[in-house]
Each structure stands twice: as structure tokens, then as C-alpha cells.
Amino acid sequence: MARRPLPRILSSGTMSLARGRDLARTAADSATDVLHPLLVIGRGLRILAAAGRRRWSQTPKDKRGPALFLAAACVLVVALVPYGPLLALITLMAAAAWHGRDRTPAKTGPSDAETERLGSLYEALVPYFSIPEDPNPLFAHGGDWDKAFSGYEFDEGGRITRLHIRYPAYFTDGEAASRARIEALLHAKSGRGREYLFDWDEEGNQLDLRVLAALPTGIAAQPFVTSPGETVLGFTDAGGVQRTLPVLEGDEPRDVPPVIWRTGPRSAEPHLLAVGQPGSGTSTLLRSVALQALRHGGDVLIVDGGGSGEYSCLSGRAGVLAVECGPTGAQATLEWAAQETERRLIATHRAREVGRPAPEDTRRPLWILLDQPSVLAHLAVAEGGPDPLAQLQVPLRHGRPAHVTVVVAEQFGHLELLNDAVWQHTRARVVLGPAAVQQVADVLGLPPHTTPTAQVPPGRGYARLGTGPVHRLQVPATPDPYDEATHPAYRQAVLELLPERQPGPNRLLSARSLRAPAALDAQPEVAVEAP
């Protein structure tokens, strides 16, 4: 006998209960705002009634009779006076409102513990912000910290969340080493394990320190609202960019500021380099880029140097030309990519010579994604073969006008194995995972504007596009959908974004069937229509 499905109220009970709790909480907050005056008057009447009972209990028994007679006489007079009951009611309500008001004392200054913390921080800054030749030092041992600290905020645990510091004009704030010493000191004294933003106003000799909120980690891969040529690397702080994207974090819609990387012939940063430690999320970033490229109609070549099989979900999908893991296949794939780049350039050049648009196949974006290519280079050299990375020079140097984009993901320990072409032409850079300030600066060209923490979630790091500023970055969760150890909702989100599998041969290119295109000098001439 077929089983009857559960009622909807049972199958979606968790979502209904959560929505009901949210509605009840919203209704309670609205009712509290509307009924606030009545609540204040009611509290005041209760206070007045308690005071009356207390006064009556303190009255001697021999004086209670005259007191009752006097009260009755007052009531009679009020009742006989014109508008007396109304005035009495107004007076009673005013007295109740006065006694029922919120009497919580306003905080006018730091507590004793906060004052001690500010004082110790002031004393720690004295050696850095003072010199013996200063006749009236702003920072001096035993001095007043309130002259140097013009603003401060604390959290519930008593730790500093914001601090505004004035420092003397002779401090060498133009030197990165001097600023780094101050930032390291403030990071240590204000509490480790949090990210601090340091905003230096060199013109006004002021430093603003504040604690940054954690970036959202619950945003999974999804169809982002972007145009062709735009790739969402991740999400950052609201003040870092001037654009937001509508996304779903779980089941809740929200607008978050993205870090968008623009590619194509007019891009100033046509190629990307992502660096991180094992488990930092570089493979997640490559999967996210591949899914977005496939969604916009691009062709994708993937070279998995680590051989972990994390890209097997893309094998045989529409738009995925090849997924290679071995040195032989990688060599053949990258050789084809170099020759395809040259073919596109020649076809585009010949079309422009005769005043025609470039052929359609040369304008289709081609993405070359390499994960840990140094491993394949090492294996190829060990086997006596050529270095596969040498084939990247043509796509890196000439890929922008040919609509060819290269994305390289490598680990910190193997960066010296990357050739000069990778470093010169990957102007978009990403650093993921825990890293020292100097490591981040070596890859991005600038140190981060915040203090990196030792423990970060996967996909968390920094990004810099060309000569722009350094952004904090959280890559959208894009795990391997075949890895059962990851979150089921995230795996399902990736499966929904995968293209359909191709009928017949599941790859357009492979290590065994890959062949170089026809000789470049045998390219057919572009036909010219008669006027």
C-alpha cells in the first residue's frame, strides 16, 4: 500500500515555526512601541499605589480617622469645583508618568576597568609617540590619557572596539615600518583574535582604530546578478566597494558588497593568481570562477596539479573542454591552449584587415584554470619532459585581446616554482587562509589594511585588483559536490549550477585525443563580400 505523504504542516514544520517566531517577535516589538506611554503610566500608578499603602501603614491608628475625613473633604471639593475631576485626572496621570519614567542613569564616562585599560594603553604608546626634546609632550609617563584619546567604545566584555588617537606631528607616520609597530602594539594591547582596521589621517595626525565585524560565511554558490565579463571573487566590507549584490544566505535574502573581477579585452587585470595554504579555499575559488564562467557561456580548461579529483564534477559538462590531472595531459592541454590563443589572434587580425568583425569562435571566452601547477612541473622535470608552465606564456602575454583568461592557484611553499610570466601578467591577486603580513604584502604588493588573525574560516583572505586597494574577502562556499564531508546544502547548491552532461564523448579535449590545430600559416582567408 502506498504511503500517504506527511501533511504540509509537518513536512515544513521547522520553517513554519521559525517564521512564526519571527512574526511574533516583530508583533511584540511593535506593540511595545505603541503601548509604551500606557506602560509608563501603569508603572507610575503602581509606584504611587505602593507609596500610598506604605504611608497608610506608617500612620498611627488614632490619626487614621481624621486622615480619612480630610481625604473625603478634598474629594468633595474637587468634585464641586468646575472641571475639578478632569483636572484631578490629568494631575494624577502626570504624576504617574513622572514616577514611571525610565530612571536608568546614563553612562557619562568609562568605568574603572575601562579607565585602567585606557591608561595602560596610553603608557604603552609613550615610547613611540614622544621624544626627549618635546617641551610639552602629548604622550608622557603619568600623563592624562584623555588628551590623546578623544573617542573610545567598549564591548560587553570590556575590550576596546573603537579608539580615536591623536599623536604628535613629528611621528614618522609616512613610514610603513613606523605604522606597523603602532598597529602591532595596539593589536596586542586591545585583544588578539579580532580584526582591527587602522585608518591613518596623516594630514591631521590622527589614528582611528575599530574592530571589524566578521564577513558572512554562509553564502553558498548561486547565480549572481552580474553581466558577462564580471566574476564575483567573494564578498567584503560595506565601505570597501560602492556596489551590492542580492544574495541568499541560507533562506534569508540580503544585499552584500562584492569584490568583482572584470575580464575581457578591456580589462586591466586579465589574469588572476590565488595563493594560500592547504585547506585555505583556493580550490573553492577556482570552482566558483568555473561555474560563473560556464554560466556566461565560456569554455573552461582545468588542470588539476594536485590530482585530488576535486574538479571531477565538471568533467563531461557542457562547456568544459578538459579536466587534466597528469603531466602528459597537462602538457598537451596547455600546448593546445597556446596554439588556440595564436589562432584567435591571427583570425582576429585578418578579419580587421578586411574591415569585418572578429569571428564568433574567437570571441567566445576561454578560461584556463590551473590548480597547483608546480606539482605538474616538478613531475614533468623528473620524467625528463618539458615544463608545462612554459606553455602559459602565450595565453598570459596575449590572452586579453583573444578573450583568453588564465587563473592560477598555488600554495605559499611553491611560489618560487612559478615562472616570471605568471608574476608579471597576473595583476589580480588573492591571498586566502592564515598568513603573515609580510606574506600578504609579497603577493599583493601592499600590506593588508587590517590585522590578520591566526584562525580564519576557509575561503577567508584578501584580494587586490591591479593597483587598487586591498579588500577583505570571503569566497562563496563552493565545495566539491561529491565530498560527503561538506555541508549538504552547499553541495546541493553546486549541483544545481552544474551544466548538463554532454551526450557521447564527455570531453572535447583529452590528453590522448588532443591535437594541435591546423598550421597557423594554413588558416583560411576571411571571405570578403562584394559590395
Side-chain angles (χ1 to χ4, degrees):
M1 183 176 65
R3 298 179 59 183
R4 298 179 60 186
L6 290 174
R8 179 168 182 158
I9 191 174
L10 296 179
S11 61
S12 60
T14 303
M15 185 179 299
S16 299
L17 289 176
R19 187 179 295 108
R21 284 195 296 266
D22 293 341
L23 291 176
R25 189 180 300 109
T26 303
D29 294 340
S30 301
T32 301
D33 294 338
V34 173
L35 300 177
H36 180 70
L38 296 179
L39 295 176
V40 172
I41 293 176
R43 184 166 56 246
L45 291 175
R46 187 171 61 253
I47 294 174
L48 292 176
R53 286 195 302 269
R54 185 169 56 254
R55 186 65 179 271
W56 177 259
S57 62
Q58 294 176 356
T59 302
K61 293 183 178 180
D62 57 341
K63 295 183 179 180
R64 289 183 179 179
L68 286 175
F69 178 77
L70 181 60
C74 292
V75 171
L76 180 61
V77 171
V78 170
L80 295 177
V81 172
Y83 302 104
L86 180 59
L87 294 176
L89 180 61
I90 294 175
T91 303
L92 179 62
M93 293 299 102
W98 175 257
H99 287 84
R101 71 186 188 281
D102 187 9
R103 300 186 180 185
T104 303
K107 185 178 179 181
T108 58
S111 62
D112 295 340
E114 295 172 353
T115 301
E116 183 178 358
R117 182 179 289 271
L118 290 173
S120 63
L121 186 59
Y122 174 84
E123 293 290 336
L125 291 172
V126 169
Y128 301 92
F129 284 151
S130 64
I131 57 176
E133 296 82 5
D134 191 352
N136 187 19
L138 182 62
F139 285 81
H141 292 293
D144 296 332
W145 57 263
D146 54 351
K147 295 181 179 179
F149 301 156
S150 57
Y152 45 82
E153 295 179 6
F154 292 85
D155 58 10
E156 297 178 355
R159 296 196 300 176
I160 293 176
T161 58
R162 185 153 195 169
L163 183 64
H164 191 77
I165 304 174
R166 294 175 54 245
Y167 56 87
Y170 51 75
F171 175 72
T172 56
D173 52 4
E175 300 178 2
S178 300
R179 294 197 304 269
R181 286 194 297 268
I182 299 299
E183 293 175 2
L185 174 64
L186 294 175
H187 183 203
K189 294 296 183 181
S190 301
R192 298 185 183 274
R194 301 183 297 175
E195 279 195 273
Y196 296 89
L197 173 64
F198 299 96
D199 186 9
W200 291 86
D201 181 8
E202 301 177 4
E203 184 178 1
N205 302 319
Q206 297 179 3
L207 169 61
D208 189 69
L209 173 149
R210 60 186 176 93
V211 178
L212 295 175
L215 295 176
T217 58
I219 301 177
Q222 54 192 280
F224 299 116
V225 184
T226 55
S227 60
E230 293 183 342
T231 302
V232 177
L233 299 180
F235 303 98
T236 185
D237 300 301
V241 296
Q242 300 179 353
R243 177 178 175 181
T244 59
L245 284 182
V247 299
L248 288 177
E249 186 175 2
D251 293 332
E252 297 293 332
R254 56 179 302 188
D255 292 337
V256 292
V259 177
I260 293 182
W261 171 40
R262 292 175 175 84
T263 57
R266 293 179 176 83
S267 172
E269 303 87 23
H271 308 297
L272 173 71
L273 173 63
V275 183
Q277 302 288 355
S280 59
T282 54
S283 299
T284 296
L285 176 61
L286 259 64
R287 273 191 298 270
S288 176
V289 170
L291 291 176
Q292 295 180 63
L294 293 172
R295 177 173 173 266
H296 289 300
D299 292 331
V300 177
L301 283 172
I302 301 176
V303 177
D304 184 9
S308 59
E310 293 188 356
Y311 304 95
S312 59
C313 61
L314 295 170
S315 180
R317 304 284 180 174
V320 180
L321 303 182
V323 179
E324 297 296 343
C325 301
T328 303
Q331 175 68 25
T333 300
L334 295 180
E335 182 180 356
W336 179 90
Q339 295 177 356
E340 172 66 12
T341 303
E342 295 175 348
R343 184 195 70 81
R344 292 186 175 205
L345 291 174
I346 293 177
T348 302
H349 176 69
R350 290 180 175 176
R352 290 174 178 173
E353 282 183 341
V354 297
R356 300 201 34 102
E360 183 65 27
D361 61 341
T362 64
R363 289 180 291 172
R364 183 179 177 89
L366 175 61
W367 293 74
I368 306 174
L369 310 182
L370 299 96
D371 193 356
Q372 300 184 43
S374 60
V375 177
L376 294 177
H378 177 76
L379 294 177
V381 173
E383 295 177 359
D387 184 2
L389 293 181
Q391 301 294 333
L392 277 180
Q393 294 192 14
V394 174
L396 285 172
R397 295 178 186 275
H398 310 291
R400 182 176 65 174
H403 295 270
V404 177
T405 302
V406 180
V407 181
V408 180
E410 192 52 85
Q411 298 181 5
F412 275 109
H414 302 155
L415 291 181
E416 67 276 0
L417 300 179
L418 297 178
N419 53 33
D420 294 339
V422 175
W423 288 105
Q424 291 176 4
H425 298 282
T426 53
R427 293 173 49 82
R429 304 283 179 85
V430 173
V431 175
L432 298 179
V437 175
Q438 188 59 43
Q439 288 180 309
V440 179
D442 292 341
V443 176
L444 302 183
L446 283 179
H449 59 293
T450 63
T451 53
T453 57
Q455 301 294 331
V456 294
R460 175 69 178 82
Y462 299 93
R464 188 187 183 201
L465 304 179
T467 58
V470 178
H471 299 285
R472 289 204 307 166
L473 182 72
Q474 178 62 52
V475 178
T478 316
D480 180 8
Y482 299 155
D483 185 5
E484 297 182 355
T486 57
H487 197 286
Y490 298 160
R491 293 193 288 116
Q492 183 61 33
V494 176
L495 289 174
E496 293 177 356
L497 293 177
L498 290 175
E500 297 292 335
R501 290 192 178 275
Q502 291 181 335
N506 59 358
R507 290 187 299 180
L508 298 179
L509 303 173
S510 65
R512 298 178 179 84
S513 63
L514 193 62
R515 294 293 182 268
L520 297 178
D521 55 359
Q523 291 288 338
E525 295 290 342
V526 179
V528 182
E529 296 181 359

